Amino acid sequence: MNPLQGKRIVLGVSGSVAAYKAADLASKLTQAGALVDVILSDGAERFVTALSFASLTGRKAHTSLWDSDAHVVHVGLGEGADLLVIAPCTANTLAKLATGQADNLLTLTALAARCPVLVAPAMDGGMFEHPATQANLQTLRQRGVQILGPAQGRMASGLTGLGRMLEPGEILGHVRLASSRNGPLAGKHVVVSAGGTQEPLDPVRYLSNRSSGKQGFALAQAALDLGARVSLVVGATAAPLSTPTGAERTDIETAAQMAEAVLELSRVADVLIMAAAVADFRPRQVQAHKIKKGALPRIELEHTQDILLAVAEQRRRVGRPAVVVGFAAESEKLLENAQDKLERKGLSMIVANDISARDAGFAVDTNRVSLLLPGGVVEHLPLMTKSEVAEAVLARVVGLLAEVAGS
Ligand code: CTP
């Protein structure tokens, strides 16, 4: 489940022109299911209004300490919060946080809060690089505050440099990651492969498949949401997919490169989920020059390495990963073929999907899968989004890890 669901997040907004982007962040957090209490500094109120935030979050947006009906509002806001996010955080607010000043509702709340704190600095010119700001950042980092960004780019003054606030979508990713760290997969390392491989024929052509990569990326996000450390090994995807925040991504092209990356990571991982569509064949010879169209070429193929078989062999030697999940994309005899792969590849579970169905499989956002486990256990899941399939698969992975630990 989305780790932001039902979380209480205090969003502090200080006086930067980037405050308008904080409205988008407040909206995104609310849409993700969080209860967002916004505090605006006096400076922020010059750029944006409390009404905008109250409208977007459906909750009162707080401003002056003295306007509040509850005299301990700062303690109340900070105490019950799961996370405090300050975005944008000006150089001035940053300095106050570093020295523990508490002269407005935002800084008072920060001092009273005992939850994790994320800060997204936004400032102009050389202010970010100034030794005073750098020292303040260092102090905050040592205190466990997570600093997000800033990004390089054009600033309001027209100068280009380091100081732009991260985009709301990126901040949301970090907030989601920070909210998930105590999940049931905390301390576990999950490797996910995604996308298709490309097997070169000559400098311009390759053999590949229709994998979109979406199911693999959804699995990586679901594993992160449960607190795991995630390595994502990515081949070709139909369209560019943004890496889930927190995932360590390795890009590969060929089956051989994927084998190398997956075997290396699996050696120390707890879980491997092979969602990638690995090419089974590759051209025996890669031509150094483009094949001309004159005579029809005869292309001889050879088998690629079966990565899951190699993982099974390595697993017998090193005892890792504890759980290995495969996928079976079938256009006929779904359960029979999947059962065969489960046994042949020594898997803990296989996710079988019928790629002949129009609403499931490669190009679409939905999938209809069956989960097969050793001992003839089969679970048929209804048509779901790829994110829901990923959550269902990861829920079984948590159970499988517990079984391994208990045996
Ligand atoms: N797989 C792999 N290495 C390969 C090919 C596939 O590790 N060279 C993995 C896939 O990532 C998937 C599982 O094996 O998790 C099953 O892949 P699939 O293509 O369905 O099966 P194949 O073993 O290739 O068998 P076939 O093509 O005959 O169906």
Side-chain angles (χ1 to χ4, degrees), residues 142-228:
Q142 277 165 359
R143 232 179 259 154
V145 172
Q146 200 184 333
I147 310 294
L148 311 178
Q152 184 87 23
R154 188 186 178 282
M155 289 170 292
S157 62
L159 292 171
T160 301
L162 205 54
R164 273 175 70 92
M165 187 177 86
L166 287 194
E167 292 304 320
E170 293 174 274
I171 298 175
L172 179 74
H174 287 286
V175 175
R176 182 170 183 157
L177 185 66
S179 304
S180 66
R181 295 299 85 195
N182 297 324
L185 290 181
K188 301 290 181 200
H189 182 189
V190 176
V191 180
V192 179
S193 71
T197 65
Q198 296 179 335
E199 309 302 327
L201 172 58
D202 69 13
V204 294
R205 303 182 179 95
Y206 56 78
L207 214 61
S208 191
N209 56 61
R210 294 183 191 278
S211 174
S212 70
K214 286 179 182 171
Q215 187 61 75
F217 275 62
L219 287 157
Q221 182 65 68
L224 286 162
D225 286 347
L226 294 178

Side-chain angles (χ1 to χ4, degrees), residues 102-392:
D103 64 346
N104 63 35
L105 186 56
L106 172 49
T107 47
L108 262 169
T109 304
L111 205 57
R114 291 293 167 265
C115 59
V117 180
L118 277 67
V119 164
M123 55 198 75
D124 206 354
M127 291 164 82
F128 181 73
E129 269 139 28
H130 194 284
T133 304
Q134 289 301 314
N136 290 334
L137 285 165
Q138 191 56 20
T139 302
L140 291 173
R141 275 198 198 95
Q142 277 165 359
R143 232 179 259 154
V145 172
Q146 200 184 333
I147 310 294
L148 311 178
Q152 184 87 23
R154 188 186 178 282
M155 289 170 292
S157 62
L159 292 171
T160 301
L162 205 54
R164 273 175 70 92
M165 187 177 86
L166 287 194
E167 292 304 320
E170 293 174 274
I171 298 175
L172 179 74
H174 287 286
V175 175
R176 182 170 183 157
L177 185 66
S179 304
S180 66
R181 295 299 85 195
N182 297 324
L185 290 181
K188 301 290 181 200
H189 182 189
V190 176
V191 180
V192 179
S193 71
T197 65
Q198 296 179 335
E199 309 302 327
L201 172 58
D202 69 13
V204 294
R205 303 182 179 95
Y206 56 78
L207 214 61
S208 191
N209 56 61
R210 294 183 191 278
S211 174
S212 70
K214 286 179 182 171
Q215 187 61 75
F217 275 62
L219 287 157
Q221 182 65 68
L224 286 162
D225 286 347
L226 294 178
R229 171 187 162 202
V230 174
S231 299
L232 182 56
V233 183
V234 186
T237 60
L241 299 175
S242 56
T243 311
T245 307
E248 299 152 30
R249 175 172 175 162
T250 307
D251 286 285
I252 57 87
E253 281 176 10
T254 64
Q257 291 167 353
M258 178 160 279
E260 194 186 336
V262 166
L263 284 166
E264 174 81 28
L265 289 163
S266 298
R267 181 186 285 280
V268 289
D270 299 287
V271 180
L272 167 66
I273 307 179
M274 277 295 290
V278 186
D280 292 320
F281 326 101
R282 67 176 164 227
R284 186 179 288 278
Q285 299 263 313
V286 181
Q287 304 300 323
H289 298 287
K290 185 184 166 196
I291 301 170
K292 304 304 283 180
K293 74 174 165 212
L296 266 186
R298 280 184 64 84
I299 299 166
E300 217 184 313
L301 302 176
E302 65 182 7
H303 279 114
T304 57
Q305 183 182 22
D306 190 302
I307 302 173
L308 279 176
L309 283 182
V311 166
E313 200 276 319
Q314 177 171 276
R315 195 175 169 208
R316 278 191 288 276
R317 280 187 287 112
V318 301
R320 278 173 172 260
V323 171
V324 179
V325 179
F327 271 69
E330 307 293 345
S331 58
E332 56 174 355
K333 295 194 214 151
L334 178 68
L335 295 180
E336 203 179 311
N337 285 335
Q339 182 65 36
D340 172 59
K341 284 175 193 169
L342 176 76
E343 289 165 22
R344 203 159 35 84
K345 303 194 184 206
L347 304 173
S348 321
M349 178 167 78
I350 195 156
V351 185
N353 69 328
D354 179 358
I355 51 168
S356 64
R358 296 214 359 235
D359 52 5
F362 277 1
V364 290
D365 289 329
T366 48
N367 223 348
R368 185 184 288 111
V369 303
S370 300
L371 307 179
L372 285 77
L373 289 104
V377 181
V378 183
E379 194 181 343
H380 300 288
L381 302 182
L383 186 70
M384 290 174 160
T385 64
K386 289 189 173 173
S387 297
E388 287 165 344
V389 169
E391 285 170 20

